[in-house]
Structure formats: structure tokens, C-alpha cells
Amino acid sequence: MRKIRTFVFYLFSMEIIKIHDKSFEPYIDAAQIQQIIQRMTSEVARDMEDTTPVFVSVLNGAFMFASDFVRNYKADCEITFVKLSSYEGMHSTEKVRELIGLDISVEGRDVVVLEDIIDTGNTLEEIYRIFHNKGVKSLRIATLFFKPDAYKKNLKIDYVGMPIPNRFIVGYGLDYDELGRNLPHVYQLNTSLTMTNLVLFGKPGAGKGTQATFLKEKYNLVHISTGDLFRYNIKNETPLGKLAQSYMDKGDLVPDEVTIQMLQQEIDSNPDAKGFIFDGFPRTIAQAEALDAFLTSKGIKIHGTLALEADDEILIQRLVERGKVSGRTDDQDESKIRNRFVEYNQKTAPLIEFYKKQGKYHAINGIGSIEEITNRLSEAIENLEK
């Protein structure tokens, strides 16, 4: 029989719990949960004033929520429990199993489905499909937690207890690989202990792209290059790609908010990433502040900025030699290269002070073999404060 192994320790005066191989930090305490439920029951009771609703609790996750919900519901009601799940471990399988356990007739009844959490909406889609064929008078959905960033469907959710970021949570009925349901509070996955998020700086020719490839493989990180993001979105004619192209067609610079939205989508599409390398972004203080704000909303942060430093004359020679092979005209004209360095100094160099004030700036000697520079970067990364 598998035993729960939950360890409690303290980090920066916060209680952290460990279940299996994951650490979780406090997110919503029991008192807050009860306040949310009291508000939700009042909203439902107002809408159900002239009827006796049937509450349908979706097991296993919603059993604690349903229990407290009915306890707080002051008017007449009925409740039944059904089984309909799509989660294994920390990931939605996106394969919803058939509903089991609906042993009462709901034909002509006002039904309120009680869900613990709605993220992608796959389970919700199946719920709508099933009850559409049950002849119910009305169908409403009440969920304790909702992840708008993960939601992929265009289906109505009538009552939302609390919108939350797209981070894994456990406790109060929610589990991690079947453990943690009995916790009275809700905890969220503590990515600050496991993630490594880096900003890679360097003038043209400093070798950012080469080093980002090595670091991505070594530390299992997601490499986010703004150049790649633009090319992908424009090539695939996404809404953001079309918007960016419209500015480019007019000869205008693409606004920061468009670039940031592309980056946000890339981060949201990699919720299980062990970390990110940001290459080519941020380029300005405003972009750095926007990146910090977005990452903070996700409960994560930049751990270090690594700047590959090299003498301008050496970099110019590198670019000229590269231009002979690549055919890139901007790498063959020395005056154009120097202009790119001037632009870098004007726009990007102020970020040095921004990150120095945060204690996150690390200058790396960018002269030497690829392996030597990779080793210097690795040493800096492994000594970063988490």
C-alpha cells in the first residue's frame, strides 16, 4: 500500500509541503475557501429562488467543495455524485471518460454541476454533451477554481469561485497523483525551487544563439527567441502575426505589447517547462518591467541575466567573417555593424543597471572557445540564487 509522504519545512517564513517529488507552497487557506463558497451559494440561491435544484458533484476532486457548498446552501436542494475524470498525475489526458453514477432522473429539473476546477474545458464539454441528452430544464456550471489562460472552449461557466493562473494546485479535494486531497488548504506548485529562468544578453556576434542552444539542452530549458516568435506568428498568419505584419508593412516598429503577447503565449504553451532562456528580449527597461510583471502573475521570476562581453573590434571581425559564409549583408558592412552596436548601447545597455539593482546581472567573458564560454555560463547558472 502506497503511503503519503508529506514533509513540511519553512522557506522565507512560508510553509512548503512536499508530495512525491514535487514541492507546493501555500496559495489559498481554508478560511478564504469558505468565504468563496459562501458567496457562490448566495449567487446560486438567488438564481434558484423558486426551484429545488439538483447539485451534481463531479468526483473525485469536487467532493470537499460539494460538501461545504451544500452545507452552506440554505434552501431546499438535492445532491448526487458522478464520476467523470480526465487527469492523471499533473497532466490532463484530454480523454474524458464516460459519466458514471447518475442514478436519479434529472429530466425537467434545474441542474447545477459542481466542479472543483476547470482548465482546458475538455471535461466541461463532455458534461454539456451528456446533460444535453438528459432533458434537463436548465443546466448551470459552478466551479470553485477556473484557469482562464488554459481554457480552450466557448462554453458558458455560470459561477466561478476564483480565477487562478495556469499553475498546478493541490489540496481541498484536488490531488497530485491521488495524494493531497485531504489537505484543508490549497497549495500551488512551487516552481521557484525547480525552475531556472534566464535572460541572455550580448552584442551582435557575441554568440548568444550558439550558447542558448547548448544551455537549452544542458538544463532542459525552453529557448524563447523573439526573432523565432515573429517568424512563426507571421508565417502561420496568427492574429498576432497579422497584427505585427501590419505595422511592419507601414515601416513602423512593432509595439512592445504585441511582442509581449507573443512571448506570453509561448510561456503559457509550456506550462511544464523547467525554465526559459529569453534571447533577444527584453531590449528596453519597459520590456523588462513588462516581463517581470507577467512572470510575477505566473508565480515565477527571472533568476539571472547573463551578459556575454567581448571587445567591439573582436565582435566586428567575427561578424565580417560570418557574413562571408552566411551571405548576410548586414554582417558584411562594418559601418552597419557599428551602427548596430550604437543601437545596442542606447537601448539595451541601460538594462544592465536595471538587473544590477535586482542583483541578477552576471557579466560573462565572451572570448574563448565555445566550450570555455559554455563552462563559464554554466558556473554562473549553477551559482544563481533561487
Side-chain angles (χ1 to χ4, degrees), residues 60-331:
N60 291 336
F63 77 97
M64 291 181 78
F65 170 46
S67 175
D68 285 341
F69 189 98
V70 173
R71 186 180 297 119
N72 279 275
Y73 196 80
K74 305 305 181 184
D76 291 338
C77 65
E78 297 178 26
I79 186 166
T80 188
F81 297 86
V82 298
K83 181 81 171 181
L84 184 65
S85 63
S86 62
Y87 257 87
E88 292 179 6
M90 297 179 65
H91 307 280
S92 176
T93 64
E94 299 194 0
K95 296 177 182 178
V96 181
R97 301 168 189 156
E98 187 65 31
L99 179 140
I100 301 171
L102 187 61
D103 54 4
I104 65 171
S105 174
V106 292
E107 185 175 356
R109 302 294 302 277
D110 293 295
V111 173
V112 180
V113 175
L114 301 179
E115 267 277 40
D116 52 348
I117 188 167
I118 293 176
D119 43 30
T120 62
N122 293 318
T123 301
L124 180 61
E125 185 174 55
E126 186 66 8
I127 288 171
Y128 265 98
R129 184 192 68 79
I130 291 170
F131 281 96
H132 176 74
N133 297 323
K134 297 292 183 182
V136 299
K137 179 181 178 182
S138 68
L139 176 66
R140 291 176 171 84
I141 307 297
T143 182
L144 181 58
F145 300 115
F146 172 56
K147 295 182 179 180
D149 292 339
Y151 193 56
K152 300 177 181 178
K153 308 298 180 181
N154 188 28
L155 297 170
K156 185 179 181 183
I157 303 172
D158 300 271
Y159 310 100
V160 173
M162 181 177 180
I164 63 173
N166 189 19
R167 291 178 65 189
F168 192 82
I169 59 174
V170 66
Y172 196 71
L174 295 152
D175 74 299
Y176 168 36
D177 198 18
E178 294 304 326
L179 301 182
R181 294 190 191 277
N182 58 323
L183 297 169
H185 313 296
V186 172
Y187 297 77
Q188 64 182 349
L189 183 65
N190 190 336
T191 53
S192 64
L193 296 178
T194 57
M195 291 188 79
T196 302
N197 299 311
L198 309 170
V199 172
L200 196 57
F201 280 148
K203 293 180 180 178
K208 296 192 305 299
T210 299
Q211 292 301 329
T213 299
F214 280 103
L215 296 176
K216 177 182 82 170
E217 298 299 326
K218 183 172 183 178
Y219 295 102
N220 194 22
L221 307 177
V222 175
H223 178 205
I224 296 183
S225 162
T226 49
D228 290 345
L229 286 180
F230 269 87
R231 284 186 286 273
Y232 172 83
N233 280 276
I234 290 172
K235 179 181 178 180
N236 290 279
E237 297 185 340
T238 67
L240 287 175
K242 291 179 180 178
L243 181 58
Q245 188 67 61
S246 69
Y247 287 100
M248 297 164 65
D249 289 344
K250 293 183 290 188
D252 296 334
L253 293 174
V254 178
D256 281 352
E257 53 265 30
V258 177
T259 306
I260 291 166
Q261 285 182 55
M262 288 184 185
L263 182 143
Q264 290 174 349
Q265 286 187 355
E266 186 69 10
I267 293 174
D268 286 338
S269 67
N270 291 279
D272 300 320
K274 297 193 180 297
F276 299 93
I277 303 177
F278 298 96
D279 176 7
F281 189 94
R283 293 181 182 271
T284 65
I285 298 294
Q287 290 179 353
E289 291 174 341
L291 178 60
D292 277 357
F294 174 68
L295 293 180
T296 298
S297 74
K298 296 290 181 182
I300 56 180
K301 64 180 180 179
I302 295 297
H303 294 97
T305 59
L306 309 175
L308 292 172
E309 296 189 339
D311 181 78
D312 284 2
E313 299 307 316
I314 294 176
L315 294 180
I316 290 171
Q317 188 60 37
R318 279 186 189 175
L319 291 170
V320 170
E321 292 300 319
R322 185 175 77 178
K324 293 177 181 178
V325 176
S326 67
R328 287 178 54 174
T329 56
D330 59 341
D331 283 350

